[in-house]
């Protein structure tokens, strides 16, 4: 008798879990589509970076600082947007249950996890590095490595904008988009990942150049 009762309770619990997971998936799917449909343009950040890269050597420090502060604000928005889009790209095609956590964000696949880690390093922290380097420079100068970084990053952001526009058009314009969202999610992650890898490479190169300059200046003091 106890075996029968246990089996019934277990089956009932399993059914409740399946219902809960299904509802979570529906909520996740609608959130994903909303974020993708309302994704903000990354062009304002690209334009600000281009303005920083084209400042004159004797540019007014007040103007340069304002541009950098604008870039930091815009970079924060871009970073958060990319992280949120990837976070909602849970892959349920293999009935995966969420099992990986990054700073309280839950991932359901290795691909999603890898993309989120790439996005988590972000752009803002490197704009902050440029800001700090400019603040401590005397005379006030945007160095060559920082200028190259902002120009290359601006180009990559313009490329990312085209990808985001294409993804939005492909996966949110159809009335049936909610029914094919499980295919859209891995596609979105797969399309974003190459951009994130390129940005990570740029970030690492900038950090290496700034560190090299810092230690070189320290030795010359």
């Amino acid at each position: 008798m106890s075996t029968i009762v246990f089996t019934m309770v277990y089956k009932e619990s399993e059914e409740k879990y399946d219902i809960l997971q299904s509802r979570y998936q529906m909520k996740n799917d609608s959130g994903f589509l909303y974020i993708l449909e309302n994704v903000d343009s990354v062009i304002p950040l690209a334009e600000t970076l281009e303005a920083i890269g084209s400042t004159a050597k004797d540019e007014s420090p007040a103007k340069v600082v304002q541009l950098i502060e604008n870039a930091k604000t815009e970079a924060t928005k871009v970073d958060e947007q990319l992280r949120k889009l990837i976070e909602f790209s849970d892959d349920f095609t293999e009935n995966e249950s969420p099992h990986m956590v990054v700073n309280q964000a839950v991932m359901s696949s290795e691909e999603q996890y890898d993309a989120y880690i790439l996005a988590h390093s972000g752009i803002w922290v490197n704009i902050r590095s440029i800001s700090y380097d400019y603040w401590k420079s005397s005379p006030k100068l945007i160095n060559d490595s920082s200028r190259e970084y902002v120009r290359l990053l601006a180009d990559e952001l313009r490329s990312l904008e085209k990808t985001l526009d294409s993804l939005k058009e492909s996966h949110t314009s159809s009335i049936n988009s909610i029914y094919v969202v499980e295919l859209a999610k891995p596609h979105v992650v797969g399309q974003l990942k190459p951009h994130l890898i390129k940005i990570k490479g740029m970030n690492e190169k900038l950090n290496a150049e700034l560190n090299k300059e810092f230690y070189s200046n320290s030795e010359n003091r």
Side-chain angles (χ1 to χ4, degrees), residues 18-165:
D18 290 341
I19 291 171
L20 181 62
Q21 186 175 25
S22 176
R23 288 177 178 173
Y24 166 76
Q25 182 175 344
M26 290 174 62
K27 178 182 178 181
N28 180 278
D29 289 351
S30 61
F32 167 82
L33 289 173
Y34 178 83
I35 293 169
L36 182 58
E37 186 174 15
N38 293 278
V39 68
D40 291 328
S41 172
V42 300
I43 296 301
L45 175 56
E47 291 176 342
T48 301
L49 294 174
E50 288 165 346
I52 293 172
S54 61
T55 52
K57 296 289 186 181
D58 58 349
E59 195 74 65
S60 162
K63 178 180 178 179
V64 176
V65 168
Q66 186 59 60
L67 286 171
I68 293 174
E69 289 303 311
N70 291 346
K72 283 160 55 174
T73 299
E74 291 157 0
T76 297
K77 294 178 182 178
V78 171
D79 287 344
E80 290 177 349
Q81 179 170 263
L82 291 174
R83 287 197 299 266
K84 189 60 65 178
L85 183 55
I86 294 168
E87 182 182 351
F88 272 76
S89 297
D90 286 323
D91 184 359
F92 294 101
T93 56
E94 298 297 331
N95 295 317
E96 286 278 6
S97 295
H99 59 279
M100 290 173 285
V101 180
V102 185
N103 287 359
Q104 301 181 354
V106 182
M107 308 290 132
S108 66
S109 69
E110 292 288 347
E111 189 74 3
Q112 182 191 21
Y113 176 82
D114 290 345
Y116 190 85
I117 290 296
L118 287 168
H120 192 69
S121 61
I123 297 170
W124 176 85
V125 67
N126 294 280
I127 305 301
R128 185 187 63 176
S129 296
I130 292 173
S131 177
Y132 176 74
D133 186 76
Y134 182 75
W135 172 78
K136 69 181 179 61
S137 64
S138 182
K140 291 286 180 280
L141 291 171
I142 297 290
N143 63 40
D144 291 341
S145 56
S146 295
R147 288 179 184 276
E148 179 185 23
Y149 171 79
V150 295
R151 288 168 182 160
L152 291 175
L153 180 55
D155 288 343
E156 189 58 33
L157 287 171
R158 290 187 179 279
S159 177
L160 173 61
E161 179 80 1
K162 293 178 181 178
T163 297
L164 290 171
D165 286 344

Side-chain angles (χ1 to χ4, degrees), residues 32-34 36-38 164-181 184 188:
F32 167 82
L33 289 173
Y34 178 83
L36 182 58
E37 186 174 15
N38 293 278
L164 290 171
D165 286 344
S166 176
L167 290 170
K168 187 189 300 187
E169 175 66 24
S170 298
H171 300 302
T172 66
S173 60
S174 170
I175 194 170
N176 296 317
S177 58
I178 189 66
Y179 301 111
V180 294
V181 70
V188 166

